[in-house]
């Protein structure tokens, strides 16, 4: 992803040698130093604070390693805080298993669907439709986890229970080396339903990346396939999919990295019963969900063990993300080697053709299998002969292929439509003027009341997070892109900071919650809005840095050089040239960061805690919308509570969509301005 | 730069402009047990004297140790390790209400509250000694109900819970198998469930939901939450072996109700002595009183000596123990304190100030 290093900007030393009228006096140099100091300071403060939190977290795990040993803990199969006799026992294996099992099952569902959706929007749908459909799928990514959990629990579980029953009666006897994957009885918490919901949640990110990759397939290549007489499906199979192969692998790995950290939906849907090689229609537990469910009340060795689980989860997510990045960057490298790819694709088209040359296909040269690939055909206006002339098997296969693609598109759209439908059906009746001004009712069977405390709480938490993350994030981005110079110490620090930011991007949000709990809540002694805001800021920070960094890269070097050539000091160049040019992108980045953080539940569970009352005191626990939804879903699941939860979900999704759309509009407007 | 600052500021100030107006509620703050939360929150709202955050008994004990709240709520007595975190400060336990842990089940063919299970059988189910509904031990006390052969899904709490603590305390008294395999006794908040098919959910309502959505399941839920979740069918009449005057030793099967909980809340002779001596930490489960619901419990407010806001806490408590507050309990699924325990609680309150 790293762009070629820009040519070194004119040295300040050089600027200082300029004739005096062109450079401002000493004050400018002082201002330059201030600017540099600010940016460096921001980067260092951010990294140091995160470093402190991580160090503090890792330090907590000492007790576990010394009690059970690293290997003993990782392979321990028991999790007993109060066993019937003897000392507490903690082992991570069932949670590692549950995390991997749910995530891998989710990918097995999501990846084929994502490929189908990406193909449908890029190839099958007309351009005018493909874009909006792609955007709709992206919107799925903005729906918070807790809402999928709520939906899964109240809609999907009852709906799919008969299907699971059928599965377990039909395939219950299946035995894979002693593992009975579909053995009954079925329970309301199950791997299969968790995986299904997880699949819906990771679908957008996987689809988005595959779409991007497919859009880069050169037209030549597609036309070449058509020119050789390929049907649309054959073109897809022969020239698009091979091109996108490593992109698909990378996208899947990124999806996996996302899936392993998923917390709230899984805590609601998996049954929280740790086990290894248990039935897929029965319950399990994951690293993230056990951390979410037990941290608030744990202390001593149990807290230490939960922290160790968080470290395991972090390492898992980090490893998977690293791998994904490697594959994606390889695939980009591969895409650059166009020649090789084209010839490979042509070979594969040839392989597609039946051995006997089909009749009436005008363009296909009679080729024996294994014959050397023909040179790329010249670009000629080609009329593909009517489908009647295609062999039956090719026609059927093409139809079938396209059918599968259409089907997966429909399948991908269904959850989105269903979630929104449920939100409107159940949630809309809850919404009235008083919904925004009243407190949630104490009596869970009451339909009165609203979410005023949670709404204000969310705004306050977002305010704190933005106040911390936006300035630090933007300054850090400026440091990485504008100040750090490759080849110098600052360059090394810059890439180190960039590395930390990339790591932060992949940290599961529940882990962020835990490290803030350990490093802030326990240290200060109480839950507070501050702690929640800090946790959300840590989630926002890398988003803001990366988004700002990307637009800062786009500021034309010539403009900067022009300013400097006119004798403007660095700070003035940044202020007058770089920031105005990058501002829309930066604001978009901040808005996206706010949107991402505002739907988070997991990091708030043991930081801002929640509050039944209206509170604006930053030192007190505070309510937030996602958390209100979680509590109403899990702890007071009455019809009235669920209506309140869906109503709150509707408000939350509206806020997030507005932020996302606002961000998109700002960046689009600036792009059209640039184009003019 | 001005523009960017303004934009950033706008985003943030949206949140901050609201800061500064003081909270309208609460003089005393408390946190802790979720079991009595709805009662405490209702009373706090009604009186305007307090706020209460349900975070679980363990967290309430932790919060009071850290002095971040004015009072704690707990269903359980502190362990020695927890007592140590108070650095020798005296903690007074004041009971506030009676409650019950109901045992609801969801089994094909059960359409009313007509299932009778011995306490020991309930214990055997939760320990995994009994794994199917057609077990002879279940059939023995339920002639006339055709139980299916299906395996039993056991719904329990995923969080450390006072409800689990009291339930476990009861089962370890009545089931040898439970005592041997799951918890050796006392208010174990995280019992090591050994039943083969266990589902864990957060909070009482989570367990209620679990029972509702799983066929052939059983769970334990505090009565108020069970009522609110609509779990009114399949509530087990729990059997307790008692000596009844005139009848000798009999097995009594009792459903939770205001009356049976009141009987369960009546202290025994030994407990009365304890209460009179000022110790209110009594264990109501497995009551020998005839007609009493065996899993009757109470819950406590913990007051730490020497806290600056203890005046407000006394005020809160005298409201909680007063007639207005106590008379609201029944509609919330609890029962008002009565007799000796109420006298004891009021006396302890008097000693606070």
């Amino acid at each position: 992803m790293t762009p070629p290093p820009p040519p070194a900007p004119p040295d300040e030393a050089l600027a200082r040698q300029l004739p005096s009228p062109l450079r401002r006096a000493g004050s400018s140099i002082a201002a330059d130093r201030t600017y540099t100091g600010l940016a460096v300071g921001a980067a260092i403060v951010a990294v140091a604070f995160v470093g402190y939190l991580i160090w503090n977290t890792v330090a907590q795990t000492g007790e576990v390693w010394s009690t059970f040993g690293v290997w003993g803990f990782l392979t321990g199969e028991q999790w007993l805080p109060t066993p019937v006799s003897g000392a507490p026992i903690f082992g991570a294996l069932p949670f590692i298993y549950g995390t991997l099992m749910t995530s891998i099952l989710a990918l097995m569902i999501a990846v084929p669907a994502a490929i189908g959706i990406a193909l449908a929007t890029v190839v099958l749908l007309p351009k005018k439709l493909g874009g909006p459909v792609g955007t709709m799928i992206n919107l799925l990514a903005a729906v918070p986890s807790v809402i999928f959990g709520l939906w899964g629990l109240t809609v999907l579980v009852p709906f799919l229970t008969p299907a699971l029953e059928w599965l377990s009666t039909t395939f219950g006897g299946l035995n894979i080396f002693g593992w009975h994957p579909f053995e009954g009885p079925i329970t309301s918490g199950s791997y299969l339903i968790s995986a299904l919901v997880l699949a819906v949640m990771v679908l957008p990110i996987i689809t988005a990346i595959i779409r991007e990759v497919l859009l880069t397939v050169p037209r030549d290549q597609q036309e070449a396939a058509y020119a050789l007489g390929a049907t649309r499906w054959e073109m897809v199979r022969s020239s698009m999919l091979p091109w996108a192969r490593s992109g698909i692998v990378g996208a899947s790995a990124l999806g996996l990295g996302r899936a392993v950290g998923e917390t709230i939906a899984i805590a609601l849907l998996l049954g929280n019963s740790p086990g290894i090689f248990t039935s897929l229609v029965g319950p399990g537990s994951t690293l993230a969900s056990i951390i979410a469910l037990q941290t608030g009340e744990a202390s001593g060795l149990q807290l230490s063990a939960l922290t160790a689980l968080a470290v395991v989860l972090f390492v898992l997510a980090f490893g998977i993300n690293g791998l994904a990045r490697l594959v994606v960057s390889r695939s980009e490298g591969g895409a650059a080697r166009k020649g090789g790819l084209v010839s490979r694709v042509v070979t594969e088209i040839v392989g597609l053709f039946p051995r006997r040359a089909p009749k009436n296909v005008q363009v296909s040269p009679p080729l024996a299998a294994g014959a050397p690939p023909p040179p790329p055909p010249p670009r000629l206006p080609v009329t593909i002969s009517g489908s009647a002339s295609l062999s039956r098997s090719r026609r059927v296969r093409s139809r079938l292929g396209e059918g599968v693609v259409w089907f997966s598109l429909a399948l991908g759209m269904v959850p989105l439509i269903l979630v929104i439908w449920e939100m409107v059906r159940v949630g809309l009746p809850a919404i009235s003027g008083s919904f925004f001004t009243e407190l949630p009712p104490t009596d869970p069977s009451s339909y009165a009341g609203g979410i005023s405390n949670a709404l204000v709480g969310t705004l306050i938490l977002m305010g704190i997070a933005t106040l911390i993350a936006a300035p630090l994030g933007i300054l850090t981005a400026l440091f990485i892109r504008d100040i750090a110079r490759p080849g110098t110490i600052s360059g090394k620090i810059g890439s180190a900071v960039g590395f930390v930011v990339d790591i932060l991007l992949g940290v599961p949000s529940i882990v962020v919650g835990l490290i803030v709990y350990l490093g802030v809540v326990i240290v200060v002694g109480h839950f507070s809005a501050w702690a929640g805001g800090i946790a959300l800021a840590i989630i926002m920070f890398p988003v803001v840095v990366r988004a700002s960094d990307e637009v800062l890269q786009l500021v034309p070097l010539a403009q900067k050089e022009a300013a400097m050539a006119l004798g403007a000091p660095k700070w003035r160049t940044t202020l007058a040239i770089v920031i105005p040019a990058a501002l829309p992108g930066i604001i978009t980045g901040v808005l996206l960061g706010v949107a991402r953080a505002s739907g988070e539940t997991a990091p708030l569970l043991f930081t801002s805690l929640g509050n039944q009352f209206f509170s604006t005191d930053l030192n007190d626990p505070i309510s937030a919308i996602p958390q209100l939804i979680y509590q109403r879903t899990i702890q007071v699941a009455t019809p009235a509570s669920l209506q309140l939860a869906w109503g709150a979900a509707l408000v939350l999704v509206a806020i997030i969509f507005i932020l996302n759309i606002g961000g998109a509009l700002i960046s689009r407007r600036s792009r059209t301005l640039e184009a003019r | 730069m001005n523009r960017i600052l303004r934009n950033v500021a706008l985003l943030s100030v949206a949140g901050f402009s609201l800061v500064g107006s003081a909270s309208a509620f609460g003089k005393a703050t408390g946190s802790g047990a979720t079991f009595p939360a709805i009662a405490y929150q209702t009373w706090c709202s009604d009186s305007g004297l307090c706020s209460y955050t349900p975070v679980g008994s363990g967290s309430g004990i932790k919060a009071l140790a850290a002095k971040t709240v004015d009072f704690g709520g707990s269903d359980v007595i502190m362990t020695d390790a927890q007592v140590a975190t108070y650095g020798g400060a005296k903690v007074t336990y004041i009971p506030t209400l009676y409650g019950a842990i109901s045992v609801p089940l969801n089994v094909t063919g059960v359409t009313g509250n007509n299932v009778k299970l011995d306490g020991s059988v309930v214990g055997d189910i939760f320990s995994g000694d009994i794994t199917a509904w057609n077990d002879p031990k279940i059939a023995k006390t339920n002639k006339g109900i055709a139980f299916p052969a299906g395996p039993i899904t056991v719904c329990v709490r995923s969080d450390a819970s006072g409800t689990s603590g009291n339930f476990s305390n009861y089962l370890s008294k009545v089931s040898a198998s439970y005592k041997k395999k799951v918890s050796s006794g006392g208010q174990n908040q995280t019992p090591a469930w050994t039943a083969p098919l266990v589902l864990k959910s957060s909070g009482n309502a989570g367990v209620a939901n679990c029972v509702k959505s799983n066929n052939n399941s059983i769970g334990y839920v505090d009565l108020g939450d069970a009522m609110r979740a609509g779990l009114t069918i399949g509530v087990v009449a729990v059997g307790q072996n008692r000596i009844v005057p005139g009848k000798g030793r009999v097995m009594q099967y009792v459903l939770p109700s205001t009356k049976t909980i009141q009987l369960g809340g009546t202290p025994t002779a030994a407990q009365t002595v304890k209460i009179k001596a000022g110790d209110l930490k009594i264990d109501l489960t497995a009551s020998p009183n005839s007609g009493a619901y065996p899993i009757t419990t109470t819950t406590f407010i913990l007051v730490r000596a020497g806290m600056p806001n203890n005046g407000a806490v006394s005020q809160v408590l005298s409201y909680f123990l007063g007639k207005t507050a106590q008379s609201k309990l029944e509609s919330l699924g609890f029962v008002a304190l009565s007799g000796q325990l109420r006298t004891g609680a009021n006396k302890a309150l008097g000693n606070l100030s």
Side-chain angles (χ1 to χ4, degrees):
Chain A
M1 288 303 272
T2 42
D11 202 356
E12 283 124 301
L14 194 79
R16 268 178 231 136
Q17 287 164 17
L18 290 169
S20 58
L22 272 179
R23 78 181 161 90
R24 307 274 153 77
S27 69
S28 277
I29 293 170
D32 244 7
R33 290 214 178 113
T34 312
Y35 161 61
T36 311
L38 262 179
V40 174
I44 288 176
V45 163
V47 170
F49 182 63
V50 170
Y52 151 74
L53 287 177
I54 291 173
W55 168 80
N56 183 56
T57 306
V58 173
Q60 288 273 344
T61 58
E63 206 182 337
V64 167
W65 312 132
S66 63
T67 311
F68 304 107
V70 174
W71 187 246
F73 178 70
L74 290 179
T75 56
E77 296 185 25
Q78 302 256 324
W79 184 270
L80 298 173
T82 46
V84 67
S85 64
I89 308 167
F90 297 105
L93 194 61
F95 305 106
I96 298 173
Y97 168 83
T99 300
L100 291 177
M101 192 48 140
T102 45
S103 306
I104 290 168
L105 283 175
L107 278 198
M108 286 168 63
I109 304 166
V111 170
I115 295 173
I117 295 168
L119 281 175
T121 54
V122 172
V123 184
L124 297 192
L125 286 174
K127 265 229 172 84
K128 270 190 187 158
L129 259 174
V133 169
T135 313
M136 265 188 83
I137 297 282
N138 280 348
L139 282 185
L140 258 184
V143 176
S145 164
V146 65
I147 296 178
F148 280 112
L150 173 61
W151 176 70
L153 201 65
T154 57
V155 179
L156 209 58
V157 169
F159 179 74
L160 286 183
T161 297
L164 292 191
E165 243 152 32
W166 174 82
L167 210 59
S168 95
T169 47
T170 316
F171 299 107
L174 188 65
N175 183 343
I176 306 171
F177 300 114
W179 176 42
H180 302 267
F182 300 112
E183 192 180 35
I186 63 157
T187 55
S188 62
S190 68
Y191 277 100
L192 284 183
I193 292 185
S194 304
L196 197 62
V197 172
L198 206 50
V200 176
M201 297 173 70
V202 295
L203 186 67
I205 183 174
I206 302 178
T207 310
I209 297 170
I210 298 179
R211 244 174 77 84
E212 299 270 301
V213 176
L214 288 181
L215 285 170
T216 63
V217 176
R219 275 216 76 77
D220 295 10
Q221 204 165 296
Q222 303 175 33
E223 280 166 10
Y226 283 134
L228 287 172
T231 62
R232 192 154 61 169
W233 171 244
E234 285 163 351
M235 185 281 290
V236 164
R237 268 211 50 193
S238 60
S239 81
M240 294 196 100
L241 290 184
W243 175 280
R245 197 177 291 153
S246 46
I248 292 172
V249 174
S252 311
L254 278 177
L256 189 63
R258 186 69 62 94
V260 295
E262 191 40 63
T263 309
I264 296 297
I266 296 294
L268 288 169
L269 293 169
L270 190 54
N272 306 307
S273 194
I276 297 164
F277 289 112
T278 51
S279 171
L280 296 182
V281 296
S285 186
T286 68
L287 293 165
S289 61
I290 183 102
I291 296 169
L293 290 168
Q294 295 197 343
T295 298
E297 301 201 342
S299 56
L301 186 61
Q302 189 182 1
L303 184 59
S304 178
L306 288 164
T307 311
L309 289 186
V311 172
V312 171
L313 176 58
F314 172 77
V315 170
L316 207 60
F318 177 65
I320 292 169
N321 281 327
L323 213 68
R325 224 160 266 232
L326 204 74
V327 175
V328 171
S329 66
R330 273 246 187 99
S331 81
E332 275 169 3
R337 292 195 307 270
K338 250 187 205 166
L341 239 146
V342 169
S343 72
R344 206 173 73 211
V345 167
V346 172
T347 324
E348 278 179 42
I349 294 175
V350 171
L352 247 182
F353 281 83
R355 296 229 163 176
R356 44 198 162 77
K359 286 171 199 163
N360 298 334
V361 175
Q362 292 166 352
V363 269
S364 71
L367 276 173
R379 258 206 241 185
L380 290 169
V382 175
T383 4
I384 298 171
S385 51
S387 60
S389 60
L390 288 174
S391 79
R392 197 158 159 248
S393 71
R394 277 181 68 198
R395 204 164 60 220
V396 169
R397 238 183 290 163
S398 294
R399 286 267 165 80
L400 223 65
E402 284 190 23
V404 168
V405 168
W406 283 118
F407 180 70
S408 52
L409 174 67
L411 222 59
M413 304 297 289
V414 164
L416 176 65
I417 294 166
L418 285 182
V419 169
I420 291 176
W421 163 244
E422 193 69 11
M423 204 147 51
V424 172
R425 187 180 70 87
V426 185
L428 201 58
I431 292 178
S432 64
S434 62
F435 193 70
F436 300 96
T437 56
E438 285 178 15
L439 290 171
T442 327
D443 177 5
S445 58
S446 158
Y447 283 89
I451 57 164
S452 63
N453 58 345
L455 184 63
V456 169
T458 287
L459 291 178
I460 289 178
L461 287 170
M462 296 330 300
I464 299 172
T466 312
L467 262 193
I468 298 170
L472 280 183
I474 294 166
L475 283 170
T476 302
L478 280 171
F479 168 67
I480 295 175
R481 194 53 58 192
D482 203 38
I483 291 174
R485 259 176 285 151
T488 65
I489 292 179
S490 70
K492 276 184 192 140
I493 297 175
S495 52
V497 170
F499 181 67
V500 172
V501 168
D502 283 350
I503 291 179
L504 276 181
L505 262 182
V507 178
S509 63
I510 184 73
V511 175
V512 173
L514 181 70
I515 66 176
V516 174
Y517 174 68
L518 297 174
V520 178
V521 175
I522 288 191
V523 172
V524 178
H526 58 94
F527 302 100
S528 64
W530 277 119
I534 288 171
L536 294 183
I538 293 176
I539 288 167
M540 269 181 74
F541 173 72
V543 180
V544 175
V545 176
R546 273 288 157 249
S548 309
D549 183 40
E550 300 231 326
V551 285
L552 287 176
Q553 276 180 47
L554 298 177
V555 177
L557 193 66
Q559 278 186 17
K560 279 198 260 183
E561 282 172 347
M564 290 202 141
L566 286 171
K570 194 167 186 66
W571 67 272
R572 187 164 276 270
T573 312
T574 302
L575 210 57
I577 305 292
V578 177
I579 292 202
L583 192 60
I586 291 174
I587 294 175
T588 302
V590 172
L591 286 180
L592 291 182
V594 174
R596 160 137 190 237
S598 62
E600 288 284 358
T601 313
L604 300 180
L605 289 176
F606 16 83
T607 53
S608 61
L609 189 68
N611 190 332
Q612 75 169 118
F613 294 120
F614 195 91
S615 168
T616 51
D617 188 336
L618 301 187
N619 289 315
D620 271 355
I622 200 165
S623 188
I625 301 178
Q627 212 175 0
L628 179 78
I629 299 172
Y630 179 64
Q631 279 172 353
R632 291 276 149 174
T633 308
I634 204 166
Q635 280 172 351
V636 274
T638 60
S641 274
L642 290 180
Q643 176 175 319
L644 187 87
W646 279 113
L650 194 60
V651 173
L652 182 60
V653 167
I655 294 175
I656 293 172
F657 279 15
I658 288 169
L659 286 169
N660 272 305
I661 292 167
L665 284 183
I666 291 174
S667 74
R668 183 169 304 169
R669 221 186 91 212
S670 73
R671 239 179 268 151
T672 44
L673 281 178
E674 260 166 46
R676 258 189 248 153
Chain B
M1 193 57 158
N2 284 338
R3 259 166 65 201
I4 190 166
L5 279 179
R6 199 177 57 219
N7 278 301
V8 170
L10 272 178
L11 277 172
S12 335
V13 163
F16 268 88
S17 60
L18 294 148
V19 178
S21 67
S23 171
F25 291 90
K27 287 175 182 161
T29 60
S31 72
T34 49
F35 174 73
I38 186 161
Y40 292 178
Q41 293 188 335
T42 308
W43 292 340
C44 281
S45 290
D46 289 354
S47 65
L49 292 171
C50 50
S51 78
Y52 184 78
T53 316
V55 287
S57 298
S59 300
I61 290 168
K62 246 162 97 178
L64 190 63
K67 299 188 185 179
T68 56
V69 289
D70 299 320
F71 64 90
S74 178
D75 300 334
V76 294
I77 313 301
M78 282 196 269
T79 62
D80 293 344
Q82 284 169 327
V83 170
T85 60
Y86 278 72
K90 189 185 168 226
V91 176
T92 310
Y93 288 73
I94 299 188
T96 51
L97 49 82
Y98 294 134
I101 298 169
S102 67
V103 182
L105 48 76
N106 174 1
V107 177
T108 321
V110 174
T111 51
N113 295 333
N114 53 347
V115 174
K116 296 175 187 165
L117 296 178
D118 290 10
S120 65
V121 172
V122 175
D124 290 356
I125 292 174
F126 279 85
S127 75
D129 264 22
I130 296 176
T131 57
W133 282 110
N134 58 356
D135 192 284
K137 278 189 193 162
I138 298 177
K140 201 177 115 195
T141 54
N142 293 287
K143 306 217 160 75
I145 301 175
F147 278 100
I152 303 176
T153 300
V154 174
C155 293
V156 302
R157 291 286 288 270
S158 62
D159 45 343
S161 147
T163 308
S164 299
N166 281 317
F167 187 60
S168 179
N169 179 32
Y170 169 69
L171 291 185
S172 64
K173 286 183 191 174
V174 294
S175 161
S177 137
Y178 185 90
K179 192 179 171 81
K180 189 170 153 237
K181 285 163 125 188
V182 184
S183 175
S184 55
Q187 294 168 312
N188 185 347
Q189 295 191 50
T190 49
W193 309 107
T194 43
L197 189 60
V198 173
L199 288 182
K200 297 183 185 174
S201 317
S202 190
N204 274 301
V207 176
N209 208 18
C210 172
V211 173
K212 273 208 293 197
S213 49
N214 284 283
N215 215 0
N216 294 339
S217 62
I218 189 167
Y220 58 95
V221 183
D222 94 75
L223 189 62
D225 279 312
M227 270 167 45
R228 282 183 288 278
L231 271 182
T232 47
I233 289 170
V235 178
V236 172
V238 181
Q240 174 85 20
N241 214 326
R242 300 190 170 111
I243 298 167
V244 178
K247 287 188 192 165
R249 185 165 279 279
V250 291
M251 182 65 80
Q252 282 186 327
Y253 296 95
V254 185
L255 279 167
S257 71
T258 305
K259 179 134 190 292
T260 60
I261 294 169
Q262 252 163 10
L263 284 169
T266 309
T268 61
Q271 286 171 336
T272 308
V273 174
K274 210 174 145 188
I275 292 168
K276 284 195 170 149
D279 184 356
L280 305 178
K281 293 174 286 187
I282 57 166
D283 176 0
L284 298 173
T285 57
S287 165
N289 302 338
S290 176
Y293 183 65
I295 328 178
T296 299
T297 63
T298 184
T299 183
F300 305 96
I301 279 189
L302 273 46
V303 187
R304 178 181 184 157
M307 294 280 283
N309 217 8
N310 271 356
V313 173
S314 301
Q315 210 186 348
V316 168
L317 275 168
S318 63
Y319 180 83
F320 279 18
L321 295 171
K323 252 202 182 120
T324 325
Q326 293 280 318
S327 65
K328 275 213 161 178
L329 281 171
E330 208 171 315
S331 65
L332 299 171
F334 302 103
V335 173
L337 281 185
S338 60
Q340 288 294 341
L341 205 54
R342 184 168 190 181
T343 317
N346 276 315
K347 205 169 126 196
L349 176 61
N351 290 342
L352 278 181
S353 38

